[in-house]
Amino acid sequence: MKVAVIGAGSMGGMHADLLGAMDGVGALFVVDANPLRAAEVARRAGGTAVTFEEAIDAAEAIIIATPPELHRAAVEAALDAGRHVLCEKPLTESLETTIALTRGVEKAGAHLELGFQRRHDAGFAAAREAIDGRLHLVRLTAHDPLVSQRPAPSGPPPEVAPIFRDSSIHDFDVVRWLTGQEVTELSVEAGRRDGSRPTDPREIESAIVAMRLGDGALAVLEASWLHPTGYDVRVELVSASVAVSGGLSPRTPSRHADWTDATDGWSGYLERFEAAYRAELAAFLQCCRGVRPPASTARDGLEAMRIAVAATRSFIDGRRVSLSEIAGLARTQVA
Amino acid sequence: MRVAQLGTGRIGAMHAEILARLVEPRSLVVADVDTERAQAVAAAVGAEAADIGAAIEQADALVIAASSTAHPELIRAGIGRGIPIFCEKPLATNLDETQRLVDEIEASGSPFQLGFQRRFDAAYREARRLVEDGSLGRLYVLRLAGHDPAPPHEAYIPASGGIFNDFSVHDFDVTRWLSGQEIEEVYADGGVLGFPMFATYDDVDTAVATLRLSGGTRAILSVTRHDPLGYDIRTELFGSGDSVSIGLGPRTPMRSLEPGVPPPAGPAWSMFIDRFRDAYHQELQAFLRVARGEEESACTARDGLEAVRVAIAATRSMHEHRPVRISEVT
């Protein structure tokens, strides 16, 4: 299989490294707006730096890891050329373009997957398998390591807060994927690291999202960009007959009296989810060969984005928001 | 000092057993409206049984764990005698009565301690120390989880005040106590997912609440009336300096599915008497020191009132589908 990675930042670079070491990858192409960076990543991964057009022309499978604003054009060019596409989340930068892209992808019947790697994480997947009996409660925790200072926002506030669009979108996908249910309503409480409540959603650094699912189950997400000692992503589920956790291990960066001191907490997503990213790429390549169905669809990217937009609206309005208020696409397919 | 244990249900019987080890057995008198039960509990711990009036009359301190509806009357009897009083939560079954009672207790000068036993649990105390000494830095978030092993008997539900008043009131209290902040606003949601009997009484079996605190800390609470694996009470504190958890250990009734992570050694906590045995012991020991005038109460009647106000706000939020400020509850 000939594979191209579009975008050679931290995500694209990691994908290239993993692909370079993977069986069944016959040729690896790397594309970046910065040719020096593309060349460096290609050299490291054992691939070739090429232009975007060359990559679309030569590769059968395309992995898109550019900034979100460039996703739509890259996805459409790749799909127009009949390629299989794995696109990093978010599917596009805004709800409007995500709806448009999803509509086009569904109409064409093209193969587009989202980079929701938690679906390929062993602990999360085992939690999903373990659900037995009616689901009552889902608890999600997602903390990125502290970034000392984020850029001050400029221009009018966006419809979707960065923390929800770029980070919690994984958790919103996990809720849908784990439970097989849609989020119907949610309410958000969020603020800056000093506890104050900004008016601009771009300044949110810590957030709690309380969600109600289609079957009446409740899900809560607690997320931040403020973890002082590591990277902490976990899920807990309570159903009628099980209570399980994904992600809880001696490497969880939270100390407790009885178990272990997490002196070696996960440092970041690249380390925490390396196995999941590898599994995601392997599954994607199998899907390209037609031996398994896609792990996710454009629709999954759209629904996660709709939840992120609803969460932002709840924060701005200070009220509970129904997902029916958020634009989307009518269900045209049986899932 | 002669101590009267009033009420000999599950918690009362446990108190009697603990008190019998803390005071001279002949200094402990046990009473209940169910005199046979009082006699049985008294006999089991080597104490004396009496009727309630006589027990109060001869006591130097009261420990109340009767039915919730009887709490105000028994507290007032203690105030009338000017003796120290320990009372299980709740103080009373409605807000007006709770407020009146708190005023009366404060005006009386009788030392008073409310039964929020988590304040005496070793891990909760350690967490509070870490907040106070600055180890946790700025406190960003508290995560609170509470799972009862099984729903209460249906007859208990209508008088329980609902899941937030009956169960989460402990979480609201430790949120205030751990953070040193007041709760200002709550958003809550809930559902009946496993046990339709809760719907009969306008109550729920599963609920969540989001809290905003006066110092900017936020808290997320999730509770369920049924945990197939046992009794699970956990609190995590996440701050700019560290992240710590309470209640996570070999007896936590939750299995991690991470590859290579063994299941908890067990046995899982089965119920509150088991999980908080040491905390109940510590809280009564503390009360006896309060009764002897050696220290101030670590859990006042007003603490009980504040937690109840949050519970009422959470219940209102759940019914009205909106965030509710605690200042609305007066």
Side-chain angles (χ1 to χ4, degrees):
Chain A
M1 180 82 56
K2 293 174 189 153
V3 186
V5 177
I6 315 298
S10 65
M11 287 302 299
M14 180 204 62
H15 286 314
D17 289 342
L18 294 175
L19 287 163
M22 200 169 276
D23 288 340
V25 177
L28 175 63
F29 305 104
V30 179
V31 176
D32 196 276
N34 176 349
L36 290 177
R37 187 160 75 168
E40 167 57 21
V41 169
R43 187 194 57 74
R44 201 175 71 203
T48 312
V50 297
T51 65
F52 178 71
E53 291 72 22
E54 288 169 338
I56 297 295
D57 199 41
E60 302 148 86
I62 310 286
I63 288 135
I64 295 169
T66 64
E69 294 73 18
L70 304 176
H71 282 181
R72 185 183 179 185
V75 167
E76 286 177 344
L79 292 179
D80 283 349
R83 307 303 178 224
H84 302 277
V85 175
L86 171 65
C87 182
E88 270 306 324
K89 58 79 211 170
L91 182 47
T92 77
E93 75 280 10
S94 74
L95 180 59
E96 188 188 351
T97 52
T98 300
I99 291 172
L101 179 56
T102 302
R103 185 181 282 126
V105 169
E106 290 189 350
K107 201 171 167 193
H111 173 202
L112 171 66
E113 291 185 32
L114 268 289
F116 288 138
Q117 89 285 355
R118 291 184 201 177
R119 294 182 178 220
H120 301 274
D121 175 77
F124 276 66
R128 183 174 186 251
E129 288 297 307
I131 298 173
D132 190 18
R134 189 174 183 186
L135 187 71
H136 293 187
L137 198 53
V138 181
R139 281 191 288 268
L140 296 142
T141 301
H143 294 283
D144 276 17
L146 177 68
V147 174
S148 54
Q149 214 59 51
R150 295 198 164 260
S154 63
E159 64 179 347
V160 57
I163 194 167
F164 297 137
R165 191 195 75 170
D166 299 337
S167 180
S168 305
I169 199 159
H170 282 293
D171 303 287
F172 298 144
D173 178 63
V174 162
V175 166
R176 298 181 61 249
W177 168 74
L178 278 176
T179 66
Q181 298 177 40
E182 296 296 341
V183 173
T184 56
E185 283 158 293
L186 58 75
S187 183
V188 165
E189 172 59 46
R192 298 187 190 93
R193 72 185 68 183
D194 66 1
S196 63
R197 207 176 192 178
T199 51
D200 191 319
R202 282 171 292 197
E203 293 182 61
I204 297 173
E205 296 181 296
S206 170
I208 294 171
V209 186
M211 293 166 270
R212 171 177 278 264
L213 309 182
D215 185 38
L218 302 170
V220 291
L221 162 66
E222 188 260 309
S224 84
W225 280 332
L226 299 173
H227 203 295
T229 63
Y231 179 66
D232 192 359
V233 175
R234 281 179 274 160
V235 64
E236 292 185 353
L237 298 166
V238 183
S239 79
S241 53
V242 297
V244 294
S245 158
L248 189 64
S249 82
R251 300 210 58 194
T252 302
S254 181
R255 295 192 296 121
H256 39 95
D258 306 283
W259 190 10
T260 178
D261 269 352
T263 50
D264 189 24
W266 297 112
S267 62
Y269 62 93
L270 293 176
E271 182 193 27
R272 166 72 172 84
F273 287 115
E274 184 183 332
Y277 287 121
R278 189 178 290 115
E280 168 184 84
L281 288 170
F284 171 63
L285 295 183
Q286 284 179 318
C287 187
C288 295
R289 292 190 200 97
V291 298
R292 64 185 279 173
S296 61
T297 63
R299 179 69 69 141
D300 294 320
L302 169 60
E303 293 304 329
M305 179 63 118
R306 291 181 66 234
I307 301 169
V309 171
T312 309
R313 191 170 297 177
S314 172
F315 169 77
I316 291 170
D317 294 354
R319 66 176 176 92
R320 164 152 142 167
V321 168
S322 166
L323 263 290
S324 62
E325 299 173 39
I326 309 300
L329 286 173
R331 288 251 152 219
T332 52
Q333 304 164 312
V334 178
Chain B
M1 185 166 55
R2 198 161 174 83
V3 179
Q5 168 63 49
L6 308 180
T8 54
R10 275 193 307 188
I11 294 187
M14 181 194 64
H15 283 327
E17 187 197 320
I18 294 169
L19 287 166
R21 282 181 276 131
L22 294 177
V23 299
E24 295 280 309
R26 59 190 163 74
S27 302
L28 177 63
V29 57
V30 173
D32 197 301
V33 284
D34 181 342
T35 50
E36 278 180 33
R37 190 166 69 175
Q39 279 161 5
V41 168
V45 303
E48 183 193 319
D51 73 46
I52 292 176
I56 294 171
E57 210 45 52
Q58 57 185 281
D60 301 312
L62 298 185
V63 175
I64 302 167
S67 75
S68 300
T69 48
H71 286 181
E73 182 193 340
L74 296 172
I75 290 170
R76 287 190 174 107
I79 290 174
R81 292 211 50 236
I83 56 176
I85 303 156
F86 175 95
C87 187
E88 275 302 325
K89 64 92 189 166
L91 284 161
T93 54
N94 67 65
L95 182 64
D96 284 348
E97 178 75 335
T98 304
Q99 275 166 332
R100 272 199 301 277
L101 206 48
V102 170
D103 289 341
E104 289 171 40
I105 291 166
E106 288 181 347
S108 76
S110 277
F112 183 90
Q113 184 179 328
L114 191 69
F116 284 142
Q117 85 285 355
R118 292 188 203 173
R119 293 186 178 215
F120 297 90
D121 175 79
Y124 277 96
R125 295 186 79 86
E126 173 66 2
R128 180 169 143 110
R129 188 186 70 76
L130 293 171
V131 172
E132 284 182 335
D133 76 8
S135 301
L136 283 168
R138 168 172 278 281
L139 193 56
Y140 295 138
V141 175
L142 269 69
R143 291 187 279 270
L144 306 119
H147 302 176
D148 264 342
H153 189 277
E154 182 164 354
Y156 178 86
I157 300 171
S160 73
I163 197 166
F164 292 122
N165 274 289
D166 184 54
F167 189 13
S168 307
V169 72
H170 284 287
D171 289 296
F172 299 139
D173 179 62
V174 294
T175 297
R176 294 180 65 241
W177 181 72
L178 287 171
S179 67
Q181 300 173 38
E182 290 300 333
I183 297 166
E184 289 191 332
E185 189 176 286
V186 56
Y187 169 83
D189 198 358
V192 177
L193 290 157
F195 304 91
M197 65 180 177
F198 284 96
T200 311
Y201 307 99
D202 207 18
D203 198 359
V204 298
D205 58 22
T206 309
V208 301
T210 305
L211 309 170
R212 193 165 80 241
L213 278 55
S214 54
T217 296
R218 292 173 174 82
I220 177 70
L221 161 71
S222 50
V223 287
T224 166
R225 287 292 198 180
H226 175 236
D227 185 322
L229 304 186
Y231 180 66
D232 196 357
I233 300 292
R234 280 180 286 150
T235 301
E236 289 189 66
L237 298 90
F238 171 60
S240 62
D242 206 349
S243 181
V244 298
S245 67
I246 298 163
L248 191 62
R251 301 196 62 186
T252 305
M254 175 162 287
R255 195 158 51 97
S256 173
L257 298 173
E258 283 303 295
V261 175
W269 299 114
S270 61
M271 62 185 293
F272 55 88
I273 287 178
D274 176 29
R275 166 75 170 81
F276 288 113
R277 177 165 294 280
D278 188 55
Y280 286 118
H281 189 97
Q282 296 293 334
E283 95 178 332
L284 286 177
Q285 229 168 6
F287 171 64
L288 294 177
R289 292 194 300 272
V290 170
R292 287 188 217 104
E294 294 167 10
E295 63 185 48
E296 294 287 303
S297 170
C299 188
T300 66
R302 192 154 294 273
D303 289 323
L305 171 63
E306 291 307 321
V308 162
R309 290 176 69 216
V310 180
I312 291 169
T315 308
R316 193 177 293 175
S317 171
M318 178 168 71
H319 289 309
E320 297 180 8
H321 310 305
R322 65 177 179 93
V324 171
R325 294 187 64 80
I326 312 307
S327 58
E328 291 181 34
V329 180
T330 53

PDB file of all heavy atoms in Angstrom, chain A residues 63-80:
ATOM      1  N   ILE A  63      -3.468  10.280   4.692  1.00  0.00           N
ATOM      2  CA  ILE A  63      -3.706  10.675   6.079  1.00  0.00           C
ATOM      3  C   ILE A  63      -3.528  12.176   6.174  1.00  0.00           C
ATOM      4  O   ILE A  63      -2.458  12.700   5.832  1.00  0.00           O
ATOM      5  CB  ILE A  63      -2.744   9.934   7.027  1.00  0.00           C
ATOM      6  CG1 ILE A  63      -3.177   8.466   7.091  1.00  0.00           C
ATOM      7  CG2 ILE A  63      -2.778  10.532   8.421  1.00  0.00           C
ATOM      8  CD1 ILE A  63      -2.079   7.504   6.984  1.00  0.00           C
ATOM      9  N   ILE A  64      -4.565  12.851   6.637  1.00  0.00           N
ATOM     10  CA  ILE A  64      -4.538  14.312   6.653  1.00  0.00           C
ATOM     11  C   ILE A  64      -4.352  14.807   8.079  1.00  0.00           C
ATOM     12  O   ILE A  64      -5.170  14.526   8.960  1.00  0.00           O
ATOM     13  CB  ILE A  64      -5.819  14.878   6.013  1.00  0.00           C
ATOM     14  CG1 ILE A  64      -5.818  14.486   4.529  1.00  0.00           C
ATOM     15  CG2 ILE A  64      -5.899  16.391   6.193  1.00  0.00           C
ATOM     16  CD1 ILE A  64      -7.109  14.723   3.816  1.00  0.00           C
ATOM     17  N   ALA A  65      -3.254  15.517   8.279  1.00  0.00           N
ATOM     18  CA  ALA A  65      -2.924  16.022   9.610  1.00  0.00           C
ATOM     19  C   ALA A  65      -2.448  17.465   9.508  1.00  0.00           C
ATOM     20  O   ALA A  65      -1.506  17.886  10.175  1.00  0.00           O
ATOM     21  CB  ALA A  65      -1.852  15.142  10.260  1.00  0.00           C
ATOM     22  N   THR A  66      -3.117  18.215   8.655  1.00  0.00           N
ATOM     23  CA  THR A  66      -2.814  19.642   8.506  1.00  0.00           C
ATOM     24  C   THR A  66      -3.569  20.408   9.590  1.00  0.00           C
ATOM     25  O   THR A  66      -4.385  19.820  10.304  1.00  0.00           O
ATOM     26  CB  THR A  66      -3.322  20.152   7.149  1.00  0.00           C
ATOM     27  OG1 THR A  66      -4.757  20.024   7.143  1.00  0.00           O
ATOM     28  CG2 THR A  66      -2.761  19.346   5.987  1.00  0.00           C
ATOM     29  N   PRO A  67      -3.374  21.731   9.687  1.00  0.00           N
ATOM     30  CA  PRO A  67      -4.273  22.514  10.546  1.00  0.00           C
ATOM     31  C   PRO A  67      -5.721  22.338  10.056  1.00  0.00           C
ATOM     32  O   PRO A  67      -5.950  22.126   8.859  1.00  0.00           O
ATOM     33  CB  PRO A  67      -3.787  23.954  10.343  1.00  0.00           C
ATOM     34  CG  PRO A  67      -2.352  23.809   9.934  1.00  0.00           C
ATOM     35  CD  PRO A  67      -2.299  22.547   9.120  1.00  0.00           C
ATOM     36  N   PRO A  68      -6.698  22.395  10.971  1.00  0.00           N
ATOM     37  CA  PRO A  68      -8.094  22.101  10.609  1.00  0.00           C
ATOM     38  C   PRO A  68      -8.626  22.932   9.438  1.00  0.00           C
ATOM     39  O   PRO A  68      -9.434  22.448   8.644  1.00  0.00           O
ATOM     40  CB  PRO A  68      -8.861  22.430  11.895  1.00  0.00           C
ATOM     41  CG  PRO A  68      -7.870  22.254  12.989  1.00  0.00           C
ATOM     42  CD  PRO A  68      -6.538  22.646  12.415  1.00  0.00           C
ATOM     43  N   GLU A  69      -8.167  24.179   9.324  1.00  0.00           N
ATOM     44  CA  GLU A  69      -8.668  25.062   8.262  1.00  0.00           C
ATOM     45  C   GLU A  69      -8.348  24.506   6.875  1.00  0.00           C
ATOM     46  O   GLU A  69      -8.972  24.880   5.887  1.00  0.00           O
ATOM     47  CB  GLU A  69      -8.059  26.467   8.397  1.00  0.00           C
ATOM     48  CG  GLU A  69      -8.475  27.239   9.642  1.00  0.00           C
ATOM     49  CD  GLU A  69      -7.844  26.713  10.931  1.00  0.00           C
ATOM     50  OE1 GLU A  69      -6.837  25.974  10.856  1.00  0.00           O
ATOM     51  OE2 GLU A  69      -8.388  27.024  12.013  1.00  0.00           O
ATOM     52  N   LEU A  70      -7.378  23.618   6.772  1.00  0.00           N
ATOM     53  CA  LEU A  70      -6.983  23.063   5.474  1.00  0.00           C
ATOM     54  C   LEU A  70      -7.581  21.679   5.228  1.00  0.00           C
ATOM     55  O   LEU A  70      -7.405  21.098   4.157  1.00  0.00           O
ATOM     56  CB  LEU A  70      -5.448  22.984   5.384  1.00  0.00           C
ATOM     57  CG  LEU A  70      -4.708  24.310   5.624  1.00  0.00           C
ATOM     58  CD1 LEU A  70      -3.194  24.079   5.608  1.00  0.00           C
ATOM     59  CD2 LEU A  70      -5.100  25.346   4.581  1.00  0.00           C
ATOM     60  N   HIS A  71      -8.298  21.142   6.220  1.00  0.00           N
ATOM     61  CA  HIS A  71      -8.805  19.772   6.083  1.00  0.00           C
ATOM     62  C   HIS A  71      -9.748  19.601   4.895  1.00  0.00           C
ATOM     63  O   HIS A  71      -9.630  18.661   4.113  1.00  0.00           O
ATOM     64  CB  HIS A  71      -9.552  19.343   7.360  1.00  0.00           C
ATOM     65  CG  HIS A  71      -8.642  18.963   8.494  1.00  0.00           C
ATOM     66  ND1 HIS A  71      -9.112  18.526   9.703  1.00  0.00           N
ATOM     67  CD2 HIS A  71      -7.287  18.959   8.612  1.00  0.00           C
ATOM     68  CE1 HIS A  71      -8.106  18.255  10.523  1.00  0.00           C
ATOM     69  NE2 HIS A  71      -6.984  18.527   9.875  1.00  0.00           N
ATOM     70  N   ARG A  72     -10.705  20.540   4.803  1.00  0.00           N
ATOM     71  CA  ARG A  72     -11.759  20.312   3.818  1.00  0.00           C
ATOM     72  C   ARG A  72     -11.197  20.208   2.401  1.00  0.00           C
ATOM     73  O   ARG A  72     -11.526  19.268   1.665  1.00  0.00           O
ATOM     74  CB  ARG A  72     -12.799  21.433   3.884  1.00  0.00           C
ATOM     75  CG  ARG A  72     -13.966  21.168   2.953  1.00  0.00           C
ATOM     76  CD  ARG A  72     -14.973  22.301   2.952  1.00  0.00           C
ATOM     77  NE  ARG A  72     -16.073  22.011   2.024  1.00  0.00           N
ATOM     78  CZ  ARG A  72     -17.039  22.861   1.742  1.00  0.00           C
ATOM     79  NH1 ARG A  72     -17.050  24.066   2.320  1.00  0.00           N
ATOM     80  NH2 ARG A  72     -17.984  22.532   0.892  1.00  0.00           N
ATOM     81  N   ALA A  73     -10.345  21.161   2.038  1.00  0.00           N
ATOM     82  CA  ALA A  73      -9.802  21.156   0.676  1.00  0.00           C
ATOM     83  C   ALA A  73      -8.977  19.891   0.429  1.00  0.00           C
ATOM     84  O   ALA A  73      -9.067  19.256  -0.637  1.00  0.00           O
ATOM     85  CB  ALA A  73      -8.934  22.398   0.455  1.00  0.00           C
ATOM     86  N   ALA A  74      -8.211  19.495   1.445  1.00  0.00           N
ATOM     87  CA  ALA A  74      -7.357  18.307   1.279  1.00  0.00           C
ATOM     88  C   ALA A  74      -8.213  17.047   1.161  1.00  0.00           C
ATOM     89  O   ALA A  74      -7.957  16.178   0.313  1.00  0.00           O
ATOM     90  CB  ALA A  74      -6.388  18.200   2.458  1.00  0.00           C
ATOM     91  N   VAL A  75      -9.241  16.951   2.004  1.00  0.00           N
ATOM     92  CA  VAL A  75     -10.120  15.771   1.966  1.00  0.00           C
ATOM     93  C   VAL A  75     -10.811  15.687   0.607  1.00  0.00           C
ATOM     94  O   VAL A  75     -10.856  14.613  -0.022  1.00  0.00           O
ATOM     95  CB  VAL A  75     -11.171  15.843   3.098  1.00  0.00           C
ATOM     96  CG1 VAL A  75     -12.277  14.810   2.880  1.00  0.00           C
ATOM     97  CG2 VAL A  75     -10.502  15.628   4.459  1.00  0.00           C
ATOM     98  N   GLU A  76     -11.335  16.818   0.139  1.00  0.00           N
ATOM     99  CA  GLU A  76     -12.080  16.792  -1.119  1.00  0.00           C
ATOM    100  C   GLU A  76     -11.177  16.428  -2.298  1.00  0.00           C
ATOM    101  O   GLU A  76     -11.572  15.646  -3.171  1.00  0.00           O
ATOM    102  CB  GLU A  76     -12.787  18.144  -1.335  1.00  0.00           C
ATOM    103  CG  GLU A  76     -13.982  18.263  -0.395  1.00  0.00           C
ATOM    104  CD  GLU A  76     -14.718  19.600  -0.487  1.00  0.00           C
ATOM    105  OE1 GLU A  76     -14.147  20.579  -1.045  1.00  0.00           O
ATOM    106  OE2 GLU A  76     -15.854  19.658   0.024  1.00  0.00           O
ATOM    107  N   ALA A  77      -9.964  16.963  -2.293  1.00  0.00           N
ATOM    108  CA  ALA A  77      -9.039  16.630  -3.387  1.00  0.00           C
ATOM    109  C   ALA A  77      -8.710  15.143  -3.381  1.00  0.00           C
ATOM    110  O   ALA A  77      -8.682  14.477  -4.427  1.00  0.00           O
ATOM    111  CB  ALA A  77      -7.755  17.462  -3.255  1.00  0.00           C
ATOM    112  N   ALA A  78      -8.490  14.600  -2.181  1.00  0.00           N
ATOM    113  CA  ALA A  78      -8.134  13.182  -2.080  1.00  0.00           C
ATOM    114  C   ALA A  78      -9.305  12.292  -2.475  1.00  0.00           C
ATOM    115  O   ALA A  78      -9.135  11.294  -3.194  1.00  0.00           O
ATOM    116  CB  ALA A  78      -7.670  12.867  -0.654  1.00  0.00           C
ATOM    117  N   LEU A  79     -10.502  12.647  -2.003  1.00  0.00           N
ATOM    118  CA  LEU A  79     -11.676  11.821  -2.324  1.00  0.00           C
ATOM    119  C   LEU A  79     -12.025  11.927  -3.810  1.00  0.00           C
ATOM    120  O   LEU A  79     -12.424  10.938  -4.434  1.00  0.00           O
ATOM    121  CB  LEU A  79     -12.870  12.225  -1.454  1.00  0.00           C
ATOM    122  CG  LEU A  79     -12.732  11.917   0.054  1.00  0.00           C
ATOM    123  CD1 LEU A  79     -13.969  12.395   0.803  1.00  0.00           C
ATOM    124  CD2 LEU A  79     -12.494  10.430   0.319  1.00  0.00           C
ATOM    125  N   ASP A  80     -11.860  13.134  -4.385  1.00  0.00           N
ATOM    126  CA  ASP A  80     -12.114  13.305  -5.819  1.00  0.00           C
ATOM    127  C   ASP A  80     -11.210  12.391  -6.638  1.00  0.00           C
ATOM    128  O   ASP A  80     -11.593  11.912  -7.708  1.00  0.00           O
ATOM    129  CB  ASP A  80     -11.872  14.767  -6.244  1.00  0.00           C
ATOM    130  CG  ASP A  80     -13.021  15.672  -5.821  1.00  0.00           C
ATOM    131  OD1 ASP A  80     -14.078  15.118  -5.398  1.00  0.00           O
ATOM    132  OD2 ASP A  80     -12.864  16.912  -5.882  1.00  0.00           O
TER     133      ASP A  80
END
